[in-house]
């Protein structure tokens, strides 16, 4: 077995470790006494008396110099030259420590190698920049990227050991921490996912295409080759984006192999621009000047992908970019997730994500739609409530028939509540919780279910210190769909609105389910401003 010595002889390593030639089981072994890296001894040197003497001379010399320095430092009188020598030696040691940081192995037994998967999702250079900024903010001032071409950062911990942070471009697996895209439908978002922002797949077409809009169902038919040419739909070659297309449009089925794929969005956009029948799917931030089609939902409203429709999660091909943190993840990775969701990192992520993670107060009124297509029809009492209100971006979803929050929806509600409690509300403004339902049970059943959903969200907001002024269930926002259809899932939701005009809780909704009464009941009693409500009382 190879032998080694402790490289920390001049410092506070114990006498036992200093005197002994320690066994070296692997090149990464460290001194059991002080944790310093072990210095391997060449076998010929170790077995040869002359070689051993050649090796011992410098070591003993270093030890004697250190001992002499310690002895001299204890004397009362010190000359300027002595102080200068010691200062120069200290500076040399610091310089040497910095120069050898990249070659130093991680400390044995410590979580000194961390890996973040899916770094390619936001670009390796941007992720390296953000992780480097995080490490410095986390107290590791010497964090750096030794090789600009390699997604690897190294830093020294306060204890003096080396930390290695690897950025793996491959998508995050279920058991690994990393970045991934998840569908807006909500059933593949977990409690271990921290939202970093919202993005979308944009549908791009040839400038002269006669298409005005497409529904998700029509896109599905084209992907499967049942409408149009089988090779006319162009996709990115990125496996994560292909998995998202499969999840959102094919229900998780495999994509047909005949579809052309492209290594980057630029090549895809060029291919679509050269073919009048072509359709392409690309991330919204990469569409450039290409023509983008609105995507219509089952209610007949066609939504253009923009900041408003994404933040409200109305555009059907919206998805979230999240950092996945399995249970038991390293504490530093957990702090990294908080940093990436914070304001400093969000400013940089705006170059890669359409909508930041921090909820946005959106413009008043309806989300934008294509000018030549119908806007969604909302219940009259809802339009009266939100006429002068702004939506707090973020979606709180419900399971079919449920009026309680699952773990994911509760975490989202608490997150939005904490932001409101931290000062997102203008003084004197009213907070509204509006919930919808698109479940089996008819008009009155959905209106009642949505009332219970709104009340549940308001209750959880109250637990985090947010007082809700208006709680209202508005029933269906679109036609009733089958349980598995996207429109049904997306309308099982609650939204938080902020009105700078004070509002009071409107009277309870009274449902009249008889024939011919649905439209009358749908109007409800329109809410009135607080002053008018007080005079009416």
């Amino acid at each position: 077995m190879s032998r080694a010595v402790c490289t920390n002889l001049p410092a506070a390593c114990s006498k036992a470790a200093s005197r002994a030639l320690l066994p070296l089981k692997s090149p990464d072994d460290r001194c059991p006494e002080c944790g310093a890296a072990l210095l391997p001894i060449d076998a010929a040197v170790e077995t040869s008396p002359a070689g051993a003497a050649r090796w011992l001379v410098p070591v003993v010399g270093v030890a004697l110099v250190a001992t002499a320095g310690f002895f001299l430092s204890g004397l009362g009188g010190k000359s300027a030259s002595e102080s200068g020598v010691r200062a120069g030696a200290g500076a040399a040691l610091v310089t040497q420590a910095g120069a050898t940081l990249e070659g130093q192995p991680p400390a044995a037994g410590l979580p000194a190698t961390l890996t973040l998967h899916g770094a390619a999702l936001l670009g390796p250079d941007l992720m390296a920049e953000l992780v480097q900024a995080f490490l410095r903010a986390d107290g590791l001032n010497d964090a750096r990227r030794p090789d600009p071409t390699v997604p690897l950062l190294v830093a020294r911990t306060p204890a003096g050991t080396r930390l290695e942070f690897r950025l793996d471009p491959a998508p995050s697996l279920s058991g690994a921490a990393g970045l991934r895209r998840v569908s807006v439908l909500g059933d593949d978002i977990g409690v271990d996912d921290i939202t970093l922002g919202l993005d979308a797949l944009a549908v791009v077409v040839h400038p002269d295409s006669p298409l005005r809009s497409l529904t998700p169902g029509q896109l599905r038919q084209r992907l499967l080759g049942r409408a149009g040419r089988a090779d006319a739909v162009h996709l990115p070659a990125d496996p994560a984006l292909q998995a998202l297309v499969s999840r959102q449009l094919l229900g998780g089925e495999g994509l047909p192999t005949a579809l052309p794929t492209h290594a980057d969005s630029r090549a895809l956009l060029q291919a679509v621009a050269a073919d009048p029948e072509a359709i392409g799917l690309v991330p919204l931030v990469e569409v450039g000047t290409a023509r983008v089609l609105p995507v219509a939902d089952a209610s007949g409203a066609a939504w253009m992908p923009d900041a408003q429709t994404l933040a409200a999660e109305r555009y059907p091909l919206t998805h979230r970019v999240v950092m996945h943190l399995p249970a038991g993840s390293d504490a530093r990775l957990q702090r990294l997730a908080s940093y990436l969701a914070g304001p400093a990192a969000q400013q940089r992520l705006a170059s890669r994500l359409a909508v930041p993670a921090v909820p946005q107060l959106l413009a008043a009124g309806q989300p934008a739609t294509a000018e030549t297509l119908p806007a969604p029809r909302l219940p009259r009492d809802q339009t009266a409530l939100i006429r002068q209100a702004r939506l707090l971006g973020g979606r709180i979803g419900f399971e079919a028939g449920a009026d309680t929050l699952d773990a994911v929806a509760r975490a989202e509600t608490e997150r939005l509540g904490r932001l409101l409690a931290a000062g997102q509300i203008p003084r004197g403004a009213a907070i509204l919780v509006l919930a919808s339902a698109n479940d089996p049970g008819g008009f009155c059943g959905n209106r009642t279910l949505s009332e219970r959903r709104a009340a549940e969200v308001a209750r959880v907001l109250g637990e985090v210190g947010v007082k809700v002024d208006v709680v209202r269930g508005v029933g269906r926002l679109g036609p009733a769909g089958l349980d598995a259809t996207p429109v049904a899932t997306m309308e099982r939701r609650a939204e938080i609105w902020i009105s700078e005009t004070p509002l009071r809780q409107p009277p309870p909704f009274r449902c009249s389910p008889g024939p011919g009464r649905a439209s009358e009941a749908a109007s409800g009693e329109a809410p009135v401003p607080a002053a008018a409500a007080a005079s009416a009382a």
Side-chain angles (χ1 to χ4, degrees), residues 427-513:
R427 183 179 297 274
I431 299 179
L432 300 79
V433 173
L434 305 180
S436 58
N438 202 347
D439 298 75
F443 174 82
C444 286
N446 279 280
R447 192 82 191 215
T448 302
L449 177 59
S450 65
E451 289 275 3
R452 296 200 304 268
R453 287 173 173 171
E456 173 69 4
V457 171
R459 183 187 67 79
V460 175
L461 288 175
E463 292 179 354
V464 296
V466 177
K467 178 182 178 295
V468 178
D469 299 283
V470 175
V471 181
R472 192 67 161 172
V474 297
R476 286 177 177 159
L477 301 184
L482 298 176
D483 182 65
T485 59
V487 68
T489 303
M490 293 182 70
E491 301 306 354
R492 298 182 188 123
R493 60 191 289 150
E495 297 175 342
I496 301 174
W497 291 78
I498 298 176
S499 172
E500 297 189 15
T501 301
L503 294 172
R504 287 191 177 183
Q505 176 70 35
F509 182 83
R510 293 189 298 271
C511 185
S512 301

Side-chain angles (χ1 to χ4, degrees), residues 166-265:
R166 298 182 180 275
L167 301 177
D168 186 351
S172 171
L173 303 176
S174 59
L179 307 178
R180 64 189 186 105
R181 302 176 189 266
V182 294
S183 169
V184 78
L185 300 180
D187 53 359
D188 57 350
I189 301 175
V191 294
D192 298 329
D193 292 330
I194 308 298
T195 300
L196 303 184
L198 294 165
D199 206 345
L201 290 174
V203 181
V204 295
V205 294
H206 189 275
D208 299 328
S209 172
L211 294 172
R212 295 174 57 227
S213 69
L214 288 171
T215 67
Q218 291 169 334
L219 284 169
R220 173 187 172 87
Q221 295 300 310
R222 289 177 178 268
L223 282 168
L224 297 176
R226 299 171 185 170
R229 295 199 335 258
D231 62 344
V233 182
H234 297 254
L235 299 177
D238 181 359
L241 283 173
Q242 290 191 9
L244 185 65
V245 172
S246 171
R247 175 69 187 85
Q248 290 191 316
L249 295 174
L250 299 181
E253 299 177 14
L255 293 170
T257 57
L259 298 176
T261 59
H262 304 271
D264 55 53
S265 295

Side-chain angles (χ1 to χ4, degrees), residues 60 130 208 224 276 286 301 335 384 497:
V60 173
L130 291 173
D208 299 328
L224 297 176
E286 299 176 8
R335 295 197 297 274
W497 291 78

